[in-house]
Amino acid sequence: MNRIGKKDTTWLLHQGLQELARHRPDKALVILREAVDSIPPACNDELSKALYWLSVALLRLDKRDLAIKSLSSAQKLRRRGFARRLYLRTINEYGMPRQPSPELDDFYAFMNIQMSAYLVKKPMKRFSSYAERETVLKILMDTWKQITAQGLLLDSECGEKLMIFQKIKPSFPEFGFSSPHRRSAVVAFTSAAANSINPSQRCPCGSGLPYSQCCGRVRSVTEL
Ligand SMILES: [Zn+2]
């Protein structure tokens, strides 16, 4: 390792791929992260390639949320390539890792939207205690049961479901430093732009993908 210059991307990529070939994704991950960091942002093709292989390592380690994040960036940099194909094979309509059933796709989208909206207002974007985490999860599970019991998602398209998931604001008890004013005033964590774009429209970034599968994808709480 010491013999290389810090920025020798080609060498790092090569080493990363070798580790993948040797079934050592954990080692590959470290090296490929270094490779990604060594590439100037302007080198789209090279960056896309490194991000692609980084996502392969992440997928092998079953870190699917982070793999999607990496793939999402890779496919934006290079629209026709491995990254785009793997990305489309891996994601659901929300731009999240595809689950075994459409119901679970909806459930994970709901949970991540709600958890992110909650956590983004917390110090360090974390639960301050185990009790807080359990309470919030229980309230969200109960809310989810109501959503499905009322059939709110039946015959809804992805965009409509996203709207429902973002608009619902369960009332949580106060924990830690969160202020009640901020909590009630903020509509989830979505930006104004996100609200004004139809999720099924093509993404304004020019990727050619629906907004909900590109820049408007539902981010996992692991990306907070
Ligand atoms: Zn986009």
Side-chain angles (χ1 to χ4, degrees), residues 87-151:
Y87 181 65
L88 290 177
R89 272 209 309 272
T90 318
I91 57 164
N92 59 28
E93 58 184 351
Y94 300 106
M96 300 183 77
R98 191 176 297 152
Q99 302 298 330
S101 72
E103 291 74 23
L104 279 174
D105 284 332
D106 292 341
F107 173 70
Y108 280 100
F110 168 76
M111 289 302 269
N112 278 283
I113 286 170
Q114 288 289 329
M115 293 265 276
S116 297
Y118 182 88
L119 288 174
V120 83
K121 285 171 257 156
K122 300 290 296 181
M124 313 291 289
K125 297 178 185 165
R126 287 212 175 123
F127 292 112
S128 45
S129 67
Y130 179 76
E132 178 183 15
R133 182 174 176 273
E134 291 304 291
T135 307
V136 169
L137 281 178
K138 183 173 183 317
I139 291 171
L140 289 178
M141 290 298 289
D142 289 345
T143 311
W144 176 252
K145 275 184 207 149
Q146 286 170 32
I147 293 174
T148 48
Q150 291 171 24

Side-chain angles (χ1 to χ4, degrees), residues 72 75-76 202-211 213-216:
S72 167
Q75 61 89 22
K76 277 181 206 166
R202 292 202 169 195
C203 191
C205 80
S207 67
L209 293 180
Y211 180 66
Q213 290 188 320
C214 188
C215 301

